[in-house]
Amino acid sequence: MQYLDTFFEKLWQQYTAITPQALAIHELLNQHETTLVNDHVAFRTFANSPYSISQLEPELFKLGFKAFDNYQFDKKKLLARSYIHKDSPTKIFLSEILWQELPAGSQIIIRKIIEDNSGDKAFPKKPISLSSGRLWSMPSYVDYLALLKDSEYAAWLSVWGLRANHFTIYVNYLRQYTHLESVIELLQQHQYLLNEEGGVIKGTPQDFLIQASTMADKQLVKFPDGSEQLIASCYYEFAQRFEQPNGDIYQGFVPSSADKIFESTNSNK
Ligand code: NI
């Protein structure tokens, strides 16, 4: 599937450019594995905006993805939708923040982001895609910190924009590291920092999906005031899926696990 490869390759280049650990872990696994398959690639965006899930998903439909299920994260004020492809084991997970439910201060900052460029004639010509990056001006560092207090998700999104938030190794396709536990052991041997929110492994075989992730890398980012700040970029995830009673491998996501995986970009953890 050449067009799918092209889609994922662009996202991978963009992701590894700010996530050096992903490239290093990929190479580490590649020493023992012949093929690495992605379970899913995840994105973050703003609901009720030109960048909402409903605006972004046509790109996926054109690539042959079909909507699979919807998810809700009340505490983080997020909605999400997953997509599957008949010719690919790699799923897509789009989430969006219901920013109008955040405190007033953050709403003002996000409204500014969403309305940014609206007066710019060139803007509507720019196609909005999942690899567009940040389509708005860089927020001030003060605004970034204000968002960080209300929603770590929104702060991350304000800086990094539309791009893969994480890639996920599909453990089922590994030939040597056939269990999530053995992948975790390898990562720990190499001193990778893992997301320990609610335990390193999220979910149980009874959920038909178990997941783990690293903590996000940090990148030096230049803000409009000229200052450079070290902020969270992206992380790498690892997923192992199980057969359901009907014999099919589970394709969905487990909200209570995903909720904890979202914390992988939270530098305060
Ligand atoms: Ni994920």
Side-chain angles (χ1 to χ4, degrees), residues 40 42 166 168 211 237 261:
H40 66 273
H166 60 271
T168 310
Q211 296 160 271
E237 193 186 314
I261 295 277

Side-chain angles (χ1 to χ4, degrees), residues 183-206:
V183 176
I184 289 169
E185 219 169 276
L186 177 72
L187 295 172
Q188 284 172 336
Q189 275 166 12
H190 288 80
Q191 272 83 47
Y192 284 102
L193 218 53
L194 301 176
N195 172 336
E196 293 181 358
E197 185 80 8
V200 170
I201 294 184
K202 285 66 161 138
T204 68
Q206 287 73 42

Side-chain angles (χ1 to χ4, degrees), residues 138-248:
M138 185 73 172
S140 71
Y141 188 52
V142 172
D143 282 355
Y144 171 79
L145 292 177
L147 286 179
L148 201 54
K149 260 207 267 170
D150 291 337
S151 164
E152 185 281 321
Y153 178 110
W156 185 95
L157 176 58
S158 72
V159 168
W160 299 114
L162 300 174
R163 61 189 309 150
N165 169 266
H166 60 271
F167 272 69
T168 310
I169 293 273
Y170 201 164
V171 175
N172 298 47
Y173 283 80
L174 300 179
R175 286 293 159 262
Q176 188 164 338
Y177 293 90
T178 51
H179 291 82
L180 183 59
E181 287 87 345
S182 56
V183 176
I184 289 169
E185 219 169 276
L186 177 72
L187 295 172
Q188 284 172 336
Q189 275 166 12
H190 288 80
Q191 272 83 47
Y192 284 102
L193 218 53
L194 301 176
N195 172 336
E196 293 181 358
E197 185 80 8
V200 170
I201 294 184
K202 285 66 161 138
T204 68
Q206 287 73 42
D207 298 316
F208 304 113
L209 171 63
I210 55 174
Q211 296 160 271
S213 65
T214 61
M215 288 305 287
D217 271 331
K218 285 185 182 160
Q219 289 286 299
L220 213 47
V221 164
K222 198 169 183 173
F223 282 87
D225 65 2
S227 72
E228 287 196 299
Q229 310 288 346
L230 207 53
I231 68 162
S233 56
C234 306
Y235 57 93
Y236 215 175
E237 193 186 314
F238 312 89
Q240 184 179 351
R241 294 179 180 274
F242 297 87
E243 219 174 71
Q244 301 170 102
N246 68 5
D248 293 343

